[in-house]
Amino acid sequence: MGDRSIVAYKAYADQHEILDDMVAYHLAVLLRLGYLTDAPVFVRWLDDDNLLVSFQWKDGARRRALVHPDVRNIRLAIGEIAEAKRLSHMPVSFARQSNASAVA
C-alpha cells in the first residue's frame, strides 16, 4: 500500500475560495490519473485560513505525480494562493479523528 499524504494549506489573503476549488481540482486529477487508492480523502477547514487535506497514494504514484506536468502545474498554482506544509509526523490518532468531512 502506498503512502498517506497529510498536507496543511494556509490560504493567502482573499484566496480561501480559490484554494478550496484548486484542492478539489488537484484531487480530481490525481484520481483521474489513477494515483490514489480507494481510501477516503479528507478535506477540512481547521479555521478561517487553514485547510487540512489527507489522501492515500497507490504504490509508486507519488513519484509519478511529482513529474507529471498536469499535477506539477496544479501544485505551482496552489503555491501562488497558499503556503503548503507536509505534516509528515502527524500522529495516526489525529488522522483517525479527522474523518468528519470525508469527500471521497
Side-chain angles (χ1 to χ4, degrees):
M1 177 160 284
D3 297 329
R4 175 159 287 279
S5 279
I6 303 172
V7 182
Y9 295 101
K10 181 174 177 69
Y12 297 146
D14 300 321
Q15 300 297 311
H16 303 81
E17 193 171 321
I18 296 169
L19 177 59
D20 231 1
D21 292 342
M22 287 301 298
V23 166
Y25 179 64
H26 183 222
L27 293 168
V29 168
L30 293 175
L31 283 166
R32 178 179 52 82
L33 293 171
Y35 289 169
L36 303 185
T37 68
D38 292 335
V41 173
F42 303 101
V43 178
R44 181 176 182 183
W45 283 97
L46 301 175
D47 56 31
D48 289 341
D49 296 325
N50 295 285
L51 182 66
L52 184 67
V53 180
S54 178
F55 54 88
Q56 185 80 31
W57 295 98
K58 288 184 179 176
D59 287 333
R62 184 192 304 245
R63 284 189 308 271
R64 291 191 308 276
L66 288 173
V67 297
H68 193 286
D70 294 344
V71 177
R72 187 183 68 238
N73 289 337
I74 295 167
R75 289 178 51 227
L76 290 172
I78 290 174
E80 296 291 322
I81 60 172
E83 178 184 355
K85 292 186 180 181
R86 175 163 285 138
L87 304 175
S88 59
H89 301 295
M90 182 63 63
V92 172
S93 61
F94 181 85
R96 287 188 190 129
Q97 293 171 9
S98 68
N99 65 4
S101 58
V103 296

